[in-house]
Amino acid sequence: MSPVRRCSRTACGRPAVATLTYVYADSTAVLGPLATYAEPHCYDLCAEHSERLTAPRGWEVVRLLDSSAPARPSGDDLEALANAVREAARPQERAAEAGGGSGARTADPMEVARRGHLRVLRSPDN
């Protein structure tokens, strides 16, 4: 027998990537990452069949995200990246701030550097 689990759908020999479980009491179909071992009352599905899964009328499909899969960047992530690039492109302004500039910020003896709202702090052991 092959160590690779196959899709439970009839005539589909593709490798399984997700496990489908029905919760009859809640009228819910739960589709999550491939279970660590085959369960007798669960169905292993390939990528194509897991994407096309539909439930009976009146049932809810709950799709659990695979935590090992890389997460897609959100709008906040992209905005933070753009802000970091803008901040890095202005080295002369950052140097003026570090030199004492306007003195609007209080000097923190533990602060080593600052980039935007982020601060690098000195280790308490030093």
Side-chain angles (χ1 to χ4, degrees), residues 108-119:
D108 183 356
M110 295 298 290
E111 186 175 317
V112 175
R114 179 182 286 262
R115 177 166 284 170
H117 68 283
L118 302 174
R119 299 183 311 158

Side-chain angles (χ1 to χ4, degrees), residues 7-126:
C7 183
S8 298
R9 296 289 303 259
T10 306
C12 181
R14 291 185 286 262
V17 297
T19 298
L20 172 66
T21 306
Y22 289 106
V23 182
Y24 293 97
D26 297 331
S27 299
T28 304
V30 180
L31 183 67
L34 188 62
T36 54
Y37 54 91
E39 293 279 342
H41 301 290
C42 296
Y43 302 91
D44 295 334
L45 299 176
C46 64
E48 181 180 342
H49 286 122
S50 63
E51 289 172 11
R52 294 184 2 207
L53 175 74
T54 59
R57 187 175 304 181
W59 282 56
E60 180 182 2
V61 176
V62 175
R63 295 178 186 271
L64 303 175
L65 297 176
D66 183 2
S67 61
S68 66
R72 295 186 53 104
S74 69
D76 290 340
D77 293 337
L78 296 176
E79 185 176 350
L81 179 61
N83 289 338
V85 169
R86 277 190 216 106
E87 181 70 24
R90 293 184 273 177
Q92 53 278 65
E93 290 178 19
R94 201 170 357 130
E97 282 180 8
S102 64
R105 284 187 248 212
T106 61
D108 183 356
M110 295 298 290
E111 186 175 317
V112 175
R114 179 182 286 262
R115 177 166 284 170
H117 68 283
L118 302 174
R119 299 183 311 158
V120 178
L121 300 177
R122 190 178 328 278
S123 172
D125 298 334
N126 294 339

